[in-house]
Amino acid sequence: MSSLSRELVFLILQFLDEEKFKETVHKLEQESGFYFNMRYFEEMVTNGEWEEVEKYLSGFTKVDDNRYSMKIFFEIRKQKYLEALDKRDRAKAVEILVKDLKVFAAFNEELFKEITQLLTLENFRENEQLSKYGDTKSARNIMLGELKKLIEANPLFRDKLQFPTLKNSRLRTLINQSLNWQHQLCKNPRPNPDIKTLFVDHSCGGQPNGARAPSPVTNPLMGAVPKPGGFPPLGAHGPFQPPPPSLQTSLAGWMSNPSPVPHPSASAGPIGLAAPNNAAAILKRPRTPPTNNLALDYQTADSEHVLKRTRPFGMSEEVNNLPVNILPVAYAGHSHGQSSYSSDDLPKNFVMALNQGSAVKSMDFHPLQQILLLVGTNMGDVMVWELGSRERIALKNFKVWDLGACSMGLQASLANDYTASVNRVMWSPDGSLFGIAYSKHIVHIYSYHGGDDIKNHLEIEAHVGSVNDLAFSYPNKQLCVVTCGEDRVIKVWDAATGNKQFTFEGHEAPVYSVCPHHKENIQFIFSTATDGKIKAWLYDTMGSRVDYDAPGHSSTTMAYSADGTRLFSCGTNKEGESHLVEWNESEGAVKRRYTGLGKRSVGVVQFDTTKNRFLAAGDEFMVKFWDMDNVSLLTSIDADGGLPASPCIRFNKEGILMAVSTSDNSVKVLANPDGIRLLKTVENRTFDASRAASAAVVKAPSIPNFAAANPNPGTSMGNPAAPLPPMVGMQINDSRALADVKPRINEESMEKSRIWKAAEINEQSQCRSLRLPDNLTAMRVARLMYTNSGLAILALASNAVHKLWKWQRNDRTGKATASVAPQLWQPSSGILMTNDISDTNPEEAVPCFALSKNDSYVMSASGGKISLFNMMTFKTMTTFMPPPPAASFLAFHPQDNNIIAIGMEDSSIQIYNVRVDEVKTKLKGHQKRITGLAFSNTLNVLISSGADSQLCVWNTDGWDRQASKFLQIPPGRPTSPVSDTRVQFHVDQTHLLAVHESQIALYEAPKLDCLKQWFPRDANPITHATYSCDSQSIYVSFEDGSVGVLTAPALRLRCRISSAAYLPPNPSLRVYPLVIAAHPTEANQFALGLTDGAVHVLEPLESEGKWGTAPPAENGAGGAPSTSGAAGSEQQAQR
């Protein structure tokens, strides 16, 4: 469409406005989609003309176009719903709920449920997030301000919010000029022409004008005016072939069958009950989820689809799992904080350089262990680096494993020159394998078992000539390796056996790269060739489904964003022109071209994506960064110099580290603040290869980024039964007998241990402690947790009554603290949240509870029915599952709050769907009651623990049991016949803390490899333990009233807090903590629930900042020392 056609529409709009055709002008604005009249929109919103508002918006965007659009429509419909509720028009409210708001249930079912719950309230302002809602007029004005910000930020409204600067009556002026020109063409022009029509050319005296110039009518300057977004069929472009009728994915859009749902192209704040009042919260993407994370991130474009669940095409996992409480609230005096990405999150700080010995060709970070880097060079060397210790833990040189099995062509090539370059290195999605594509025929697949334990897995002679690229994919739920090569062919191999599954032929030039992906249940592969052609293949024999030209006919690589919804490519052609673009999958066309790449690149520019937000490319001796939603260069860095013209770059999965190749055959590691903290936590760790190869091999737990993540709430010990003694830790291999463990301690580490001593806190002046105010009946605290926001503490007493303490938002920190007393909160009704106790004695029951991610609901039981409470009103929303058997542990599914795992007294686990009131399945594998449950949203598993001291792993896809292990209890250690075992995941969602009265143990899921155990001496039972929010410490409470602070993963005591530090002296009363809870964002704060019913919050002195000092690192894999003790003199480990 020509720009003149677009300008004509603006001239008509000006004419209609001047002639007062008000309805018509707005109809044309909507139908053309060229100009969004913000003043008209404001008028409609202020007047509450909701149908007209949505009708007008429909000309510019649809609900599911992107996150901004979704939030615009949600805020409008939510306001309409609240107004109906405010008028007590329940019928209208129900109609709006069903017709208008139901669509959002597909993206966030928990939010839709919360909206529905408003119908049950007498006044929706009882909901905490809506408690500051004013009258209709003020609420509309507040919403309007936020809508304007969303519209201005929405890329679909770019260039549509400003009307062009025109002189008055511009269309009339042009017509007059045309008529004057026509009049000049008359053979006998009259001095005062009488022009009566515009339908035909003017002429004086009725005679046709002379032919001195072409008629503007018969030779139009402007064509028809199509509506933007209405693209001609892609078949008109020539190369596309008709798609099979069954292919209904984004790939179909590349074959003239556009997807019905365009993928989101911009980020905005998530939808929620409360309206936002913070522009930054809207314009920046929310950090995952907290939980959020909730969703699994893809690691790369080649492997992301493996761990994802199916979801409606076009919607990112973030949109599917938007927590309600992330949104700031616009109403005065009430706001929620939100963590957002900014350019400061980019890894731009140089932290180390690692010499590789030859030029780096390819790199990849381990998908789970954030500090492991795989590097391949042009000399065929492949190395694995552990960034914490800066040590190379493995080296593999190019060597054919079975030369006799190779083709004669390869044997001849190797006889002439036994060298090969690495073209690509890649980890498998779970990090258990890595693949190497060499420049000569060969692909090597190695299996990785932790540490330096790497074994040959497969050698495949994949292609004739160079193997240019390699990726992992999961067709038919079977892990495969996809390769491409100089022989113009793509091949798919079984990753377990090496058998060839598919061969794809059709390229007319060497295939440069492959990009496997999936949409819903359709698996496909994009491939690019050196002649600039892009093709797409299904896993069948039907040939290429797409034949398209890459921008600039360049050698191109393609990659999806981490959530799999946005497709990008970057390439360089023979002239050195580089192109970085985003594709519109629905149309098979370039959607966005990014500027800032050099005009004469040396070599093919490499790029990478991270956090669903940023792009990076190595170009012009720099690393350049873009925001995905902005074509202009965001920033660039030279990484302190020394980069080649087109450096190789790679983000780690979390985007907090980046590896960049240098001109001197090194790799520079760059980090953002989170990455720097990550590396500092492990910089003292040393990796002993001989140790790793010995019988005492230990796989070091990876330490994740420090984005705040909440430990599983509600993990608490039971009520076992008596002085913090010296303590020792033991590092073991799960396959060895306990008696065979011989910890090795060299003289140097022993000397360090003698110098270092754990901190001792024995007086109240040595720490900050606060007993929370309580005027209710004091009963022992059975369960304790912080809310996810960190603003409150919830306790469940043995009499089945809940207590909630809230800190005021305007206090010094705005969060729970030992410096300011909170309020024991109750609603105005004065009711208590009290569990059903049926005919049971609550003192004998096993209490349990779990909190929803948005802190709105608590699910709880004390031996009777399970109750669901509203945390704002304390009202019981519903009860279900009457005993027997009674519930003994509860956990919300991390991706669906409607799914609950319920551990039972009869040793079973029931997977229950609250929404449909149905038990989906029952899991059996324990012999005694269930005492702990923990979900991993990375591994898609549920870990259960029981009073039988057994741990079980359940796959959350089919609920099959994958593994089980019993805790290893040392001989001679007495334990209770029924002793609770608790489990909690490390923030990396892979490593697991198991808590038993006899020990603290660390495991690696899903195989339950035992990494380390720690035992208190003198049989002082552990009552409970929990990770700190960053998983760098473990807080352990004991029956003598003391608390130990252990380092993780080394399990060494760094601080001992005696009961005298927080309790007044009372020799006649034996009081000790039954449960301990860690603050969700403050790593050095924890709370204790005591046997006398009190709850105490403890923090180190502000001058100290943390609990004691970290012990020195000792030899041992992953820096985990072989022993740990309360003091240097008590450092001998048990043998």
Side-chain angles (χ1 to χ4, degrees), residues 435-715:
I436 308 161
Y438 290 104
S439 61
K440 289 186 178 178
H441 299 240
I442 291 291
V443 165
H444 279 163
I445 308 295
Y446 290 90
S447 59
Y448 178 66
H449 305 275
D452 66 346
D453 189 0
I454 296 173
K455 294 182 172 61
N456 296 359
H457 178 59
L458 289 175
E459 180 174 75
I460 304 172
E461 186 172 352
H463 295 273
V464 178
S466 174
V467 184
N468 292 333
D469 199 9
L470 169 150
F472 289 91
S473 70
Y474 254 87
N476 305 317
K477 299 183 179 180
Q478 175 186 11
L479 182 63
C480 290
V481 182
V482 183
T483 62
C484 65
E486 191 178 4
D487 55 6
R488 308 179 182 183
V489 175
I490 300 104
K491 296 181 182 180
V492 181
W493 314 84
D494 187 311
T497 64
N499 294 332
K500 185 166 63 178
Q501 305 291 311
F502 298 96
T503 299
F504 303 129
E505 298 178 333
H507 277 290
E508 298 177 357
V511 185
Y512 182 74
S513 70
V514 288
C515 176
H517 194 56
H518 81 152
K519 292 293 184 182
E520 294 185 339
N521 60 343
I522 305 297
Q523 302 274 351
F524 55 91
I525 303 168
F526 281 119
S527 62
T528 70
T530 56
D531 60 358
K533 290 291 185 183
I534 298 174
K535 294 181 182 289
W537 318 80
L538 297 180
Y539 292 86
D540 57 25
T541 58
M542 301 298 291
S544 171
R545 304 308 211 273
V546 161
D547 187 345
Y548 204 56
D549 291 326
H553 295 274
S554 54
S555 294
T556 295
T557 54
M558 306 183 81
Y560 278 87
S561 58
D563 60 12
T565 62
R566 302 175 68 176
L567 177 63
F568 303 89
S569 72
C570 182
T572 306
N573 62 19
K574 295 177 181 178
E575 289 73 37
E577 295 177 343
S578 296
H579 302 267
L580 176 61
V581 303
E582 180 179 4
W583 291 89
N584 183 330
E585 290 185 90
S586 299
E587 301 294 342
V590 171
K591 174 180 182 178
R592 187 178 280 116
R593 295 177 184 269
Y594 297 91
T595 61
L597 288 175
K599 300 298 183 184
R600 289 290 179 266
S601 301
V602 178
V604 177
V605 171
Q606 295 196 28
F607 87 116
D608 201 3
T609 73
T610 187
K611 292 184 176 177
N612 303 315
R613 183 62 187 270
F614 298 114
L615 300 169
D619 182 45
E620 295 185 309
F621 307 94
M622 294 183 292
V623 180
K624 299 178 178 180
F625 297 96
W626 291 262
D627 185 304
M628 288 180 177
D629 298 325
N630 192 327
V631 298
S632 300
L633 186 66
L634 177 64
T635 188
S636 59
I637 58 172
D638 64 1
D640 292 347
L643 304 187
S646 299
C648 175
I649 65 170
R650 194 65 162 170
F651 287 106
N652 75 339
K653 181 177 179 180
E654 299 297 332
I656 62 176
L657 300 175
M658 171 182 270
V660 186
S661 65
T662 68
S663 300
D664 62 356
N665 302 334
S666 292
V667 170
K668 286 189 174 183
V669 178
L670 311 178
N672 68 6
D674 284 342
I676 292 172
R677 285 194 293 271
L678 165 64
L679 293 172
K680 281 184 177 180
T681 62
V682 293
E683 64 185 358
N684 292 324
R685 289 167 43 179
T686 57
F687 187 91
D688 184 344
S690 64
R691 184 70 180 267
S694 72
V697 59
V698 173
K699 287 190 271 188
S702 63
I703 301 180
N705 69 315
F706 281 73
N710 301 343
N712 286 350
T715 54

Side-chain angles (χ1 to χ4, degrees), residues 257-270:
N257 184 14
S259 167
V261 183
H263 65 74
S265 61
S267 31

